[in-house]
């Protein structure tokens, strides 16, 4: 059947009962008149779900997509961004030649000259300052092979620990929460658990928009026999919240108060699996003590919801037989991110809900290949979940790379991006290389970020598909080959590894990030301890095999996964379906990834403390007191600011705005208020408003939605590259510079704001009507894609 | 009985912690994590004083969170200092200054810590179970601040000293 997949982002139902296999439903979309010559296997890079599909190729161009029925992740289903996003490859404004800044302007040049400039500057800075002069900032969009190569270049070639990814903005709290609770990163559960759970709880996880196919999976359970109960914690009435048995619309920044009350209730009501806790966890007494005073009444005042609602949520969570919890940006990008996410881990640990079908926790990712930055160390961690603060782990890595262990900077934790920005601001980090991300729009407090990146004290290299806002201020711009134009692998949020083939040639002289790193390593003449080239691989498959060797003895071992067995069939999960089936964790002091941190302050704990606390490597119940967020509403800024995503865009729209169906579905920024807050300000749907914060202001059209009172929502996808006058409408003009002390994830859901009218709207805002931004009352218009958005769905 | 003296020393040290946290926050507003953490650590210092207050009455010592220094940014003069710090914060020297101020705070925490040890020993000798428990709880909280300063110095020093 043909379905408008902008109007219905999730597609037709295939209801399933508990324990049943999810039937295939093959979605496909072809450009009008296309007659594909061949199909090339790949998976999605516009969200973290890992939907597997084939791209159609004709005359050297991509012409469509078709879901892979055999794949465990999506069983053929595709979301709107999968169906339409590939068109961005053929956008007319792709970068095709390197650019260098001459006399203030970016001008086209050769690879020889561009790389020559970079290498020359690198040598000078290595001589003058050494490795601390270099910072690398990557993305959650490249492939595993590229990340691993970047990690060795930065760590063992240059020798810096200033290495991070924009995964800092999407997945760092997930990784840190897993490390704190289980001693090591690694997703405990599997998407399959959705088919066995009797309660599914979404903590700050608007799954319908971040992972539409995963929401279809959950909804197929809700629409089948014996449906699970859904618990949703979110200040907006998201699509999942409309289907929830319990929806808790917390005030922004109060997640930890809520979670502490939930754990309080679970403990005092006897929902604890004492045998499991005794056998498999440490820290229960501390958890009980820390939550002893956290009654629902106490939390209700802080969170702005009824105590009865908190009790309801705790009861459903406490009485579940098979509890599956998921967590995403509502927790990760908010105040006390890691501590709140650890409380979700604590919930499943004390309830003994781990390692069995339908039980567990999915600490989600925001990006398709974020998981790989964590495994390879491109996010600054050491490859293979090694502990930077454990000398033996550093020695082990040095042995594998055949370098002196002193080369690997392990005297301090990896430097996160906001700290690197600070160093650039101070003028002590003069070299910064950005790959596949757009910090000028995506980092908080945009005016500050602009002033830092535009400074002449920083030699800025940007490697991208497009001339983004960030590339426009760079000293050197390198044109990258994107997804579909290169071969590699990547791993989704439930540890499923997918192969992605090269379907077409990149435009012009664009090169893959892997080739660029290999070229840089060769030109820099990085050597190992025996004088041989440091980087011993030459293409994607050899890089993959080298990575496998590096992680072979570590928890994220890729085992016998090869390009050969990834081609043709389903994606493959490393670690199997569930990581902790036997209640054994990767938490032994000799093998764990971290000694842990104080969840309140981020202070590093010492090896001796960890060994004393957890000598046998059990799960760690860690808890922390709630403290108020860094900014509280006042008379000037009475609203809380919440920024986030929509179903139809990704990142800063560098790709999704180039897909006409997606761009038309959400063409402009909007601001969302509750009916009461709009009424108080004399505002009606569609009014032109200014959203003001202590640091900046943007203009947007107003959408009146079912968001909770006291909160204004602004989507964070919109920058200024597509504005003729260059004025910014980035949500980050408004956000505060502050980050979680443990994960260092910026708090883009934690500021304050005011909304004032600028002009009458003369009609509704263009915000989507079929997502969390749905209007309170029908507007006489609805989000539709029409004929251009009709896609096929083959039901079983 | 000189437990009152030891209690007074602890409170004085917590007051010093509060004052140095203010200085640190004001001077290093451009180091956003430092600024925001000083607010969190102020909460801890105030909570400690609140927990010790009932014991102060018993030993004839004034222990009152009201005596703690105001939170930073409260006065016009402090606001002016914060603004200055944002401007100065764009110079490489601000890193050296940060280390110096963190070191000072670390030493003040160390003094507070040893004062808690002294008080705790006295409380045990006097068989004052409640004071001992309060003292242990507060001491653990103070050590969190000390660990934080150590972590922050470890992170800052390499960049400052090699650039």
């Amino acid at each position: 059947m043909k379905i408008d997949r902008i109007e219905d982002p999730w597609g037709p139902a295939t209801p399933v009962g508990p324990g049943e296999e999810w039937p295939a439903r093959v979605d496909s979309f072809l450009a009008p008149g296309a007659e594909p010559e061949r199909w090339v296997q790949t998976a999605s890079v516009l969200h973290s779900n890992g939907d597997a599909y084939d791209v159609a190729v004709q005359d050297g161009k991509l012409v469509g997509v078709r879901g892979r029925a055999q794949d465990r992740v999506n069983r053929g289903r595709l979301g709107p961004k999968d169906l339409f996003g590939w068109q961005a490859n053929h956008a007319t404004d792709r970068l095709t030649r390197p650019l260098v800044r001459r006399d203030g302007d970016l001008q086209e040049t050769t690879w020889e000259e561009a790389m020559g400039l970079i290498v020359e500057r690198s040598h000078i800075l290595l001589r003058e300052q050494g490795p601390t002069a270099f910072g690398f900032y990557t993305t959650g969009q490249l492939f595993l092979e590229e990340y691993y190569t970047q990690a060795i270049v930065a760590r063992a070639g240059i020798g810096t620990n200033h290495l991070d990814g924009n995964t800092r903005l999407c997945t760092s709290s997930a990784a840190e929460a897993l490390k704190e609770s289980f001693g090591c990163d690694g997703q405990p559960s599997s998407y399959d658990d959705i088919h066995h759970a009797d309660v599914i709880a979404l903590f700050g996880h608007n799954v319908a928009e971040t992972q539409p196919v995963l929401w279809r999976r959950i909804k197929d359970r809700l629409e089948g026999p014996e449906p699970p109960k859904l618990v949703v914690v979110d200040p907006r009435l998201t699509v999942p919240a409309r289907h929830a048995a319990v929806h808790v619309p917390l005030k922004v920044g109060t997640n930890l108060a809520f979670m502490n009350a939930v754990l309080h209730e679970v403990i005092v009501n006897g929902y604890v699996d004492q045998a499991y806790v005794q056998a498999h966890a440490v820290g229960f007494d501390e958890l009980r003590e820390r939550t002893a005073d956290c009654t629902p009444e106490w939390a209700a005042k802080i969170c702005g919801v009824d105590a009865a609602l908190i009790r309801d949520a705790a009861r459903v969570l406490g009485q579940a037989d098979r509890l599956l919890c998921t967590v995403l940006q509502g927790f990760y990008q908010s105040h006390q991110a890691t501590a709140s996410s650890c409380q979700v881990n604590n919930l499943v640990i004390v309830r003994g809900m781990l390692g069995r079908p339908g039980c567990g926790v999915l600490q989600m990712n925001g990006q398709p290949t974020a998981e790989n930055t964590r495994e390879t160390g491109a996010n600054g961690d050491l490859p293979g979940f090694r502990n930077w603060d454990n000398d033996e782990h550093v020695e082990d890595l040095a042995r594998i790379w055949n370098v002196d262990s002193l080369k690997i900077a392990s005297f301090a934790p990896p430097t996160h991006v906001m700290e690197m920005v600070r160093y650039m601001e101070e003028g002590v980090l003069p070299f910064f290389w950005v790959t596949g991300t757009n910090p000028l729009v995506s980092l908080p407090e945009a005016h500050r970020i602009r002033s830092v990146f535009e400074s002449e004290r920083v030699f800025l290299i940007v490697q991208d598909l497009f001339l983004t806002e960030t590339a426009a201020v760079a000293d050197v711009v390198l044109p990258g080959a994107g997804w579909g134009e290169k071969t590699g692998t990547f791993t989704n949020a439930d540890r499923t590894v997918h192969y992605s083939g090269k379907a077409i040639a990149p435009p012009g002289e664009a090169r893959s990030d892997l080739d660029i790193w290999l070229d840089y390593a060769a030109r820099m003449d990085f050597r190992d301890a025996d004088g041989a080239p440091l980087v011993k691989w030459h293409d994607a498959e050899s890089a993959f095999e080298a990575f496998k060797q590096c992680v072979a003895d570590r928890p994220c071992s890729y085992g016998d996964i090869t390009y050969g067995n990834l081609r043709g069939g389903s994606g493959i999960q490393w670690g199997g379906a569930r990581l902790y089936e036997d209640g054994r964790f990767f938490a032994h002091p000799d093998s764990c990834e971290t000694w842990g941190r104080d969840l309140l302050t981020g202070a590093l704990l010492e090896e001796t403390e960890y060994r004393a606390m957890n000598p046998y490597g059990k799960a760690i119940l860690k808890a922390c007191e709630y403290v108020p967020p860094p900014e509280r509403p006042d008379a000037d800024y009475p609203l809380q600011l919440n920024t986030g995503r929509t179903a139809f865009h990704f990142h800063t729209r560098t790709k999704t705005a180039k897909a006409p169906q997606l761009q038309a579905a959400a063409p402009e920024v909007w601001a969302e208020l509750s009916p009461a807050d709009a009424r108080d300000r004399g505002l009606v749907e569609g009014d032109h408003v200014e959203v003001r914060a202590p640091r900046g202001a943007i203009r947007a059209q107003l959408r009146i939605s079912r968001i909770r009172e006291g909160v204004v929502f602004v989507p964070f996808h919109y920058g200024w590259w597509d504005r003729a006058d260059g004025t910014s409408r980035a949500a980050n003009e408004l956000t505060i510079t502050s980050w979680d002390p443990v994960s260092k994830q910026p708090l883009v859901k934690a500021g304050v704001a005011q909304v004032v009218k600028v002009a009458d709207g003369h009609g509704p805002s263009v915000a989507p009507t079929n997502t969390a931004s749905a209007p309170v009352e029908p507007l006489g218009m609805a989000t539709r894609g029409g004929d251009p958005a009709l896609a096929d769905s083959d039901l079983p | 009985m000189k437990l009152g003296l030891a209690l007074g020393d602890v409170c004085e040290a917590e007051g010093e912690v509060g004052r140095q946290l203010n200085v640190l926050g004001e001077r290093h507003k451009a180091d956003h994590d430092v600024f925001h953490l000083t607010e969190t650590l102020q909460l801890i210092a105030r909570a400690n004083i609140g927990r010790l207050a009932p014991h102060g009455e018993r030993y004839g010592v004034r222990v009152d969170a009201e005596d703690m220094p105001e939170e930073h940014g409260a006065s016009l003069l402090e606001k002016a200092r914060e603004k200055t710090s944002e401007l100065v914060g764009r110079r490489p020297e601000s890193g050296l200054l940060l280390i110096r101020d963190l070191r000072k705070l670390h030493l003040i925490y160390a003094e507070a810590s040893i004062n808690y040890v002294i008080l705790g020993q006295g409380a045990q000798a006097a068989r004052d179970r409640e004071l001992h428990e309060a003292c242990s709880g507060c001491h653990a909280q103070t050590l969190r601040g000390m660990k934080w300063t150590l972590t922050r110095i470890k992170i800052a020093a390499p960049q400052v000293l090699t650039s």
Side-chain angles (χ1 to χ4, degrees):
Chain A
M1 62 169 97
K2 290 238 181 237
I3 294 162
D4 178 343
R5 292 301 302 279
I6 294 296
E7 184 177 22
D8 178 4
W10 307 284
T14 51
V16 282
E20 289 174 13
E21 192 174 318
W22 201 27
R25 181 197 93 190
V26 177
D27 297 345
S28 58
F29 175 81
L30 281 179
E35 289 178 19
E37 294 154 5
R38 58 198 171 88
W39 295 85
V40 179
Q41 181 179 351
T42 185
S44 180
V45 287
L46 294 173
H47 52 75
S48 68
N49 205 50
D51 300 338
Y53 54 98
D54 296 322
V55 282
V57 181
Q58 182 185 347
D59 300 328
K61 300 242 176 206
L62 305 180
V63 292
V65 292
R66 181 180 66 201
R68 290 177 66 82
Q70 66 270 56
D71 198 275
R72 59 174 305 278
V73 169
N74 56 324
R75 303 298 318 279
R77 290 163 190 78
L78 298 176
K81 285 186 278 190
D82 306 330
L83 288 163
F84 309 119
W86 53 271
Q87 298 166 94
N89 283 61
H90 302 303
T92 51
D93 57 348
R94 283 287 299 272
L95 289 168
T96 57
R97 293 192 65 193
L99 309 173
V100 296
R101 191 166 295 280
R102 284 197 203 98
D103 307 323
D105 293 321
L106 283 173
Q107 296 177 3
E108 287 194 348
T109 185
T110 60
W111 276 98
E112 195 61 35
E113 192 200 344
M115 293 304 288
L117 266 176
I118 295 170
V119 168
E120 184 191 359
R121 185 61 70 105
S122 300
H123 282 308
I124 291 171
L125 288 172
L126 272 177
R127 249 192 337 268
E128 288 179 353
Q129 182 176 338
T132 58
F134 295 76
F136 296 89
Y137 184 49
T138 188
T139 176
Q141 298 292 123
L142 307 187
F143 294 168
L144 176 152
E145 296 78 0
E146 297 171 321
Y147 291 138
Y148 184 55
T149 309
Q150 161 140 45
I152 193 173
V153 162
R155 281 287 191 176
I158 297 293
T160 183
N161 61 334
H162 303 334
L163 172 63
D164 199 1
N166 67 11
T167 48
R168 189 63 55 189
L169 308 168
C170 83
T171 191
S172 57
S173 300
E176 291 308 313
L178 291 170
K179 289 183 209 172
E180 291 292 340
S181 298
F182 303 114
C184 186
D185 197 356
Q187 186 71 280
S189 298
S190 173
Y191 291 169
D192 298 335
D193 288 317
I194 289 164
H195 298 280
H196 302 277
D198 71 338
V199 172
I200 299 174
L202 309 175
F203 295 95
H205 182 200
N206 181 4
V207 60
E209 299 192 55
T210 56
Q211 294 143 291
V213 170
L214 196 66
W215 171 239
R216 182 67 266 172
R217 195 165 182 147
I218 294 171
K219 200 149 172 267
D220 280 350
R221 278 288 328 267
L222 296 175
E223 292 171 5
E226 297 176 58
K229 279 186 186 157
L230 197 60
V231 176
V232 173
V233 180
D234 201 307
R236 299 168 81 202
L237 187 69
T238 59
V239 172
R242 290 162 205 256
H243 293 82
V246 185
H247 171 215
V248 191
L250 297 178
K251 273 191 192 167
V252 174
T254 65
N255 295 323
L256 186 59
F258 170 74
M259 288 309 302
N260 283 355
V262 167
L263 267 290
H264 169 92
E265 283 292 288
V266 165
I267 292 170
V268 300
N269 288 306
Y271 299 135
V272 174
D273 181 340
Q274 295 289 356
Y276 189 89
V277 170
Q278 280 278 320
H280 302 297
V282 295
F284 182 73
D285 290 342
E286 193 195 324
L287 174 66
R288 187 172 46 200
E289 214 169 283
R290 284 245 191 255
T291 57
D293 299 329
C294 302
T295 61
E297 283 71 22
W298 165 83
K301 288 194 201 105
I302 295 167
C303 303
V305 294
D306 282 346
L309 192 60
I310 299 175
R311 280 210 166 77
D312 282 349
R315 188 171 50 246
V316 172
L317 297 166
Q319 294 180 345
D321 290 323
R322 292 175 307 283
L323 170 65
L324 179 65
C325 297
T326 75
V327 193
L328 196 62
Q329 311 305 5
F331 273 40
Y332 301 159
Q333 293 176 339
S334 190
H335 179 53
Q336 298 194 285
T338 308
S340 309
S341 307
C342 279
Q343 276 294 35
V344 180
N345 294 341
N346 292 343
L347 175 64
V348 302
I349 295 167
V350 301
R351 297 239 43 238
M353 295 286 168
L354 270 173
R356 288 185 284 129
C359 301
V361 59
L362 291 162
Q363 297 281 359
M364 287 291 177
N365 305 342
Q367 293 184 78
T369 74
E371 179 63 33
N372 303 113
T373 65
R374 287 147 61 176
E375 298 160 3
T376 60
N379 68 345
D381 290 339
L382 294 187
F385 299 162
R386 284 178 174 83
N387 182 350
W388 66 266
D389 207 8
N390 181 333
D391 289 347
E392 284 181 24
H393 287 202
V394 178
E395 288 291 345
D396 182 46
L397 184 62
R399 184 184 52 75
I400 290 168
W401 283 347
N402 193 27
V403 295
D404 185 336
S405 60
L406 268 186
K407 186 82 190 181
I408 301 168
S410 61
F411 38 76
T415 312
H416 60 99
V417 64
M418 296 307 293
E419 193 64 33
M420 286 195 253
V421 168
R422 177 71 189 122
Y423 291 156
M424 286 192 271
E425 189 174 48
E426 288 177 309
V428 295
L429 181 61
F431 181 103
F432 198 64
W433 192 331
V434 176
T435 42
T437 186
N438 190 12
L440 256 62
V441 182
S442 56
L443 290 182
E445 210 175 331
H447 76 91
R448 168 175 179 249
I449 301 297
R450 273 194 297 274
S451 75
V452 171
F453 279 71
E454 287 169 0
S455 160
E456 287 179 3
R457 297 194 287 185
V458 179
F459 182 70
L460 180 66
I461 306 159
V462 173
Q463 194 165 309
D464 209 294
L465 309 189
F466 300 100
L467 194 69
T468 62
E469 288 88 341
T470 309
V473 303
D475 296 291
V476 179
V477 179
L478 302 176
W483 162 93
E485 299 161 358
K486 60 188 182 184
T487 295
T489 57
F490 48 90
T491 306
N492 79 343
D494 89 335
R495 290 176 282 103
T496 305
V497 187
H498 283 116
Y499 170 84
S500 183
K502 177 174 176 176
I504 54 171
E509 297 176 20
R511 289 184 186 173
S512 77
D513 303 276
L514 177 63
D515 286 341
I516 295 170
W517 290 125
L518 291 174
D519 186 34
Y520 179 65
R523 288 173 189 266
M524 290 297 292
D525 198 27
F526 293 134
R527 299 275 160 175
D528 70 9
D530 296 321
L534 171 71
V535 183
K536 296 176 174 59
W537 48 92
H538 56 278
D539 63 1
E541 188 162 6
S542 54
F544 182 79
E545 289 300 322
F547 166 76
K548 274 170 60 186
Q549 277 181 22
C550 180
V551 301
D553 298 325
R554 295 295 303 158
C556 59
S557 168
Y558 271 44
D560 55 7
I561 299 175
T562 62
Y563 273 30
N565 57 24
L566 286 173
R567 286 195 196 103
S570 169
I572 301 170
Q573 281 177 295
W574 66 253
R578 291 168 199 93
L579 289 187
Y580 304 130
E581 291 191 347
D582 48 5
R584 292 169 67 88
F585 304 93
F586 308 130
H588 191 278
D590 293 338
S591 58
C592 69
E593 189 176 0
T594 177
W595 309 130
R597 289 176 182 263
D598 181 334
L599 296 185
L600 182 71
T601 65
L604 294 164
L605 304 184
E606 303 277 340
E607 176 173 359
T608 47
E609 291 173 89
Y610 187 88
R611 284 187 184 274
M613 169 192 68
N614 197 19
Y616 306 111
K618 296 183 177 186
I620 305 147
L621 295 165
K622 261 193 161 167
C624 171
E625 60 270 51
Y626 165 81
V627 292
E631 263 186 350
R632 276 84 68 189
D634 58 19
D636 291 337
Y637 302 102
L639 299 165
Q640 292 190 296
L641 174 71
N642 187 14
T643 72
R645 283 184 194 172
T646 178
F648 303 106
H649 283 302
F650 194 48
H651 281 176
T652 59
R653 287 162 59 252
T654 49
K655 283 183 170 178
T656 51
K658 314 279 165 59
Q661 297 90 337
L662 300 173
Q663 173 59 9
E668 254 307 335
V669 68
W670 71 90
E672 226 171 290
L673 280 181
S674 71
D677 286 324
R679 202 167 42 240
D680 286 352
R681 291 165 176 75
L683 299 170
V684 299
E685 168 73 33
D687 276 350
H688 294 279
V689 296
E690 187 167 271
V691 185
R692 292 177 186 161
R695 293 153 294 274
I698 59 162
R699 294 197 172 180
Q701 260 192 301
L702 182 71
R703 163 57 45 86
I704 300 175
S705 77
R706 294 266 175 231
I707 194 169
R708 75 158 285 144
E709 283 177 30
V711 180
V712 54
F713 175 86
V714 179
F716 57 39
H717 306 289
Y718 302 86
W720 57 91
W721 62 263
D722 55 341
R723 280 232 161 139
D725 62 359
T727 55
S728 171
R729 75 261 219 222
N732 277 320
E733 303 293 344
L734 310 170
T735 47
I736 182 174
T737 301
S738 185
W739 51 83
D740 180 66
V742 181
S743 68
K744 318 300 181 191
Q745 186 152 353
L747 308 185
V748 296
K749 300 185 196 295
V752 294
Q754 174 61 301
V755 176
V756 294
K757 185 164 171 173
V758 174
D760 288 336
H762 310 297
S765 94
V766 291
T769 60
N770 53 352
T771 57
S773 55
V776 277
E777 52 198 29
L779 300 174
M781 53 81 82
T783 298
R784 286 200 189 93
D787 285 349
L790 288 179
D792 280 301
S793 267
D794 284 342
L795 290 162
Chain B
M1 187 71 80
K2 302 179 192 66
L3 273 176
L5 278 179
L7 189 55
D9 285 349
V10 159
C11 293
E12 205 177 302
E14 287 285 10
E16 269 308 302
V17 164
R19 269 183 287 281
Q20 182 62 17
L21 282 169
N22 274 353
V23 169
L24 189 66
E26 288 159 17
R27 280 210 191 131
H28 302 283
K29 201 167 183 207
D31 278 285
H32 296 76
D33 63 327
V34 171
F35 178 74
H36 291 301
L37 247 302
T38 58
E39 292 189 330
T40 303
L41 294 170
Q42 287 278 18
L43 290 177
I44 287 187
R46 283 170 175 274
N48 277 355
I49 293 295
R51 191 165 174 187
L52 293 172
H55 303 286
E57 281 173 32
R58 291 198 290 123
Y59 289 100
V61 188
R62 182 182 157 87
V63 182
D64 193 336
E66 292 294 306
D67 297 345
M68 291 288 283
E70 295 259 317
E71 283 175 44
H72 52 58
S75 74
L76 266 181
L77 180 64
E78 282 166 4
K79 279 206 184 342
R81 271 192 233 145
E82 284 175 11
K83 198 67 209 165
T84 316
S85 82
E86 285 173 53
L87 298 173
V88 178
R90 296 209 153 216
R91 300 173 53 83
E93 295 78 18
S94 63
L96 267 180
L97 197 64
L98 174 64
I99 292 184
R100 200 192 63 186
D101 287 339
L102 282 166
R103 181 175 62 183
K104 184 161 181 201
L105 176 60
H106 187 79
L107 296 175
I108 292 170
Y109 269 126
E111 184 170 359
S113 171
I114 199 66
N115 288 352
Y116 275 116
V117 170
I118 293 167
L119 177 64
Q121 292 298 99
Q124 288 183 83
R127 308 298 193 271
D128 186 337
R129 184 195 305 269
E130 285 174 4
L131 177 59
H132 180 230
E133 279 177 7
C135 181
S136 300
C138 293
H139 189 193
Q141 292 292 81
T142 294
L143 287 175
R144 294 169 92 179
M146 200 169 161
K147 277 183 186 145
W148 175 75
T149 53
L150 185 64
T151 296
R152 201 60 191 76
I153 286 169
K154 276 186 176 176
I155 292 167
Q159 197 68 20
V160 169
L161 298 184
T162 60
S163 62

